[in-house]
Amino acid sequence: MSNFEFNFGNENVLSEQIIQQALYLREQLRHHNHCYYVLDNPQISDAQYDILFRQLLQLEKDYPQLQNPDSPTQKVGGEALSAFNSIEHRIPMLSLGNVFSQDELNDFERKIKERLETSSDIEYCAELKLDGLAISLIYENGLFKQGATRGDGTTGEDISHNLKTIRNLPLQLNTLTPPAILEVRGEVLMPKAGFHKLNAEAQQKGEKIFANPRNAAAGSVRQLDPKIAAQRPLAFYAYAVAQIDGQELPKTQYEVLQWLKSLGFTISDQIQTGIGAKFAAQFFAQIQQQRSQLPYDIDGVVIKVNELAKQQRLGIVSREPRWATAYKFPAELASTMLEAVDFQVGRTGALTPVARVKPVFVGGVTISNITLHNMDEIKRLDLAIGDTIEVCRAGDVIPKVTQVLHKAEQSQVITLPSQCPVCQSAIVQDEKGVIARCSGDFYCEAQVQRRLAHFVSRKAMNIDGLGERWLEQFLEIGLISNIADLYALTKEKILAKNIEGMGERLAEKIVNAIEQSKTTTLPRFIYALGIRGVGESTALALAQHFASLEAIQQATEETLKQVPDIGEVSAKWIVAYFQEPIHQQMIAKMQAAGVNWPAIEQRGTQPLTGQIWVLTGSLTAMGRDEAKTKLQQLGAKVSGSVSKKTTIVVAGAEAGSKLADAQKLGVTVWDEQQLIALLQEHQA
Ligand code: IVH
């Protein structure tokens, strides 16, 4: 059909009704994009959004006259790009200077004051340093015209077609009076949840896995075919205006950001203003704490002089503004040498290989010991002594060995010892061959000491002041030999041993703490015993099911298996523990010394009995541990993985693969608010 022929078939005649329907759908889609990305408050589900989207797509297909570059459907692919055009940035895209310490930050401030010839306090706008790709966007009369990468700062690449597919990037500014020209700068990134989902899907399909969200974002916007970018979970966060024609900007960086938000841009919700380098350092510390819970990767914070007039006066030096700096997190990856592997004996006798490495500064601390968990981990990493290894320590997370960077020419193979390094008893492997244990039990000092440390720990009997150092000495000089002996300690007995560093005050503190621990709860006491397979939640389940210690002591494997959380193996371990005469004597001794707990009601069927819950992502109101305990108190089993049997998955911020699993398996997903409502209903 040529352009000059008309089709008089009903479907292609544009009626007023069809035009209105298309306008309505466009407005709805823009509104829901805004709710989702800018207000963080979606009003419809993704599925409902998709229905609206497809309706509009169909209309525009049926009536090509309706097609318009500003339609929300244009955010999804078009034809392939043949190549990227170069774009000259009218205003260069700068880089940022770095600081890594409070001292360097103070220096940054001192220079600002010198240049401004002032001794008054400086107000800063503190932002996140988003770890994505710097992008520049040009809007003409409120309409998106062009978007480019940073490139070398002077010349970038035109990636408009890909940028147009980003759902939270406005194609039209949300204002009746747009400036003639507006150039907005910001970062394109891939939120962590989307990144994990993308990688999980790629893995299933045997496709390329991205190393990190930054690479995934970069790889996505530099695709020739915009259909690919359209399928990637990308987001744009605005952080600056580079040029504006025909209008005045607000007076401060903070107000500029709020103005950008009102135009429809997403800005980070972690932006603060405050006075002086001290404020900036506090912001840095606060964000460092929150880092792992943020929905996207950041590599530091950016501290900017808030007042634009002052920024102007400070100017630029060697392509870096003098009015801003990046306060960066310390590197989280480092390389070092594996010098030796020692085996530590845990309270159940399990041997844990520990890597002794050449001390290395990583994630802000010096590390020389790293747990390797088990022999399988050593095999997986193909580790040998002498190898150069990569070490990772992110935030407060325990350090780990991530890979071998370079194999030593004469490396030494790591082997499991055949005898316990502490008591020389034989080492035995568990059925699966993953865990190796010392068979020494009561004869192994290491096991006894670890059990004592567990017994006094905060979540167990909470005996404050009795750290590992004292426990080790008390054991060595024969003041105690098991947990029950703690209750026979007196100040006089401790002092009589003349232990170095142990004075009257300290001895008194320890004895008081032991005395206080006598009043406890049954779940705590059971947990404190350190029975294999009985963690905090199993201890609670046992206490609630049997209601008394005597009942637990007499339980059989069969009755134990009726308790949620307890399977064949732990039932065997529990029975074996209580059958051991030494354990029976210790428990009797502690009860005779006055260890007691309030009676607890035996719980019958509870509101969530038989249900299996999974918690994922970060729960802001109460934390995962607390939520878990509360759900268990209502009778639910809380599991670490999603299966068809899962009743409900509660997805907090930054939920990753478990949320994806739930969606795949059709398991009900709740948000934190729904969980809180349920707990309130049951007053848990
Ligand atoms: S301002 C003149 N603000 O950091 C100031 N940059 O080296 C220029 N970045 O790749 C940038 N978050 O993309 C600014 N809140 C933020 C930022 C930020 C991340 C990136 C930027 C560039 C690098 C600067």
Side-chain angles (χ1 to χ4, degrees), residues 94-96 127-130 134 187 239 302 304 321 323:
L94 305 174
S95 10
L96 282 174
E127 303 169 22
L128 303 184
K129 185 159 191 310
L130 305 163
E187 203 86 349
Y239 53 61
V302 183
K304 301 177 181 172
W323 45 265

Side-chain angles (χ1 to χ4, degrees), residues 128-132 189-192 195 212-214 291 294-300:
L128 303 184
K129 185 159 191 310
L130 305 163
D131 198 6
L189 50 82
M190 190 176 287
K192 290 188 228 173
F195 164 74
N212 55 48
R214 209 197 99 82
R291 184 179 187 184
L294 292 172
Y296 37 68
D297 275 353
I298 58 171
D299 56 351

Side-chain angles (χ1 to χ4, degrees), residues 175-383:
T175 171
L176 292 172
T177 53
I181 304 267
L182 179 72
E183 183 175 352
V184 176
R185 302 261 167 98
E187 203 86 349
V188 166
L189 50 82
M190 190 176 287
K192 290 188 228 173
F195 164 74
H196 291 305
K197 201 168 151 213
L198 180 72
N199 261 0
E201 285 165 6
Q203 192 165 28
Q204 259 181 1
K205 291 191 223 151
E207 291 171 0
K208 178 184 169 207
I209 305 277
F210 288 105
N212 55 48
R214 209 197 99 82
N215 286 356
S220 303
V221 293
R222 298 200 66 260
Q223 288 284 337
L224 287 178
D225 181 359
K227 283 196 196 110
I228 300 181
Q231 287 159 8
R232 301 277 167 81
L234 297 169
F236 176 78
Y237 282 75
Y239 53 61
V241 170
Q243 47 166 332
I244 183 164
D245 266 8
Q247 259 180 47
E248 287 275 301
L249 271 183
K251 297 267 173 287
T252 63
Q253 164 70 8
Y254 186 81
E255 288 164 321
V256 167
L257 293 172
Q258 300 310 321
W259 178 65
L260 286 173
K261 184 172 177 178
S262 75
L263 293 182
F265 290 98
T266 304
I267 60 169
S268 148
D269 48 15
Q270 313 270 356
I271 296 166
Q272 285 179 27
T273 56
I275 308 285
K278 202 165 153 208
F279 152 76
Q282 275 165 0
F283 181 79
F284 174 80
Q286 176 197 331
I287 297 298
Q288 200 170 24
Q289 288 262 315
Q290 297 171 7
R291 184 179 187 184
S292 62
Q293 272 123 52
L294 292 172
Y296 37 68
D297 275 353
I298 58 171
D299 56 351
V301 301
V302 183
I303 308 297
K304 301 177 181 172
V305 170
N306 198 25
E307 226 181 283
L308 299 193
K310 287 204 176 98
Q311 292 188 359
Q312 200 82 48
R313 280 171 58 201
L314 286 160
I316 294 162
V317 59
S318 55
R319 301 173 72 89
E320 286 176 7
R322 288 199 190 90
W323 45 265
T325 194
Y327 193 167
K328 298 240 282 204
F329 297 131
E332 295 182 332
L333 288 180
S335 74
T336 185
M337 211 254 281
L338 180 62
E339 292 181 326
V341 171
D342 289 341
F343 287 84
Q344 275 178 358
V345 187
R347 84 185 137 86
T348 60
L351 288 196
T352 306
V354 179
R356 309 287 182 207
V357 303
K358 200 160 170 239
V360 58
F361 190 72
V362 56
V365 290
T366 301
I367 283 168
S368 43
N369 303 317
I370 306 171
T371 176
L372 293 169
H373 306 290
N374 52 47
M375 291 306 285
D376 263 14
E377 178 77 351
I378 293 175
K379 222 186 317 170
R380 189 182 68 79
L381 291 164
D382 188 24
L383 269 185

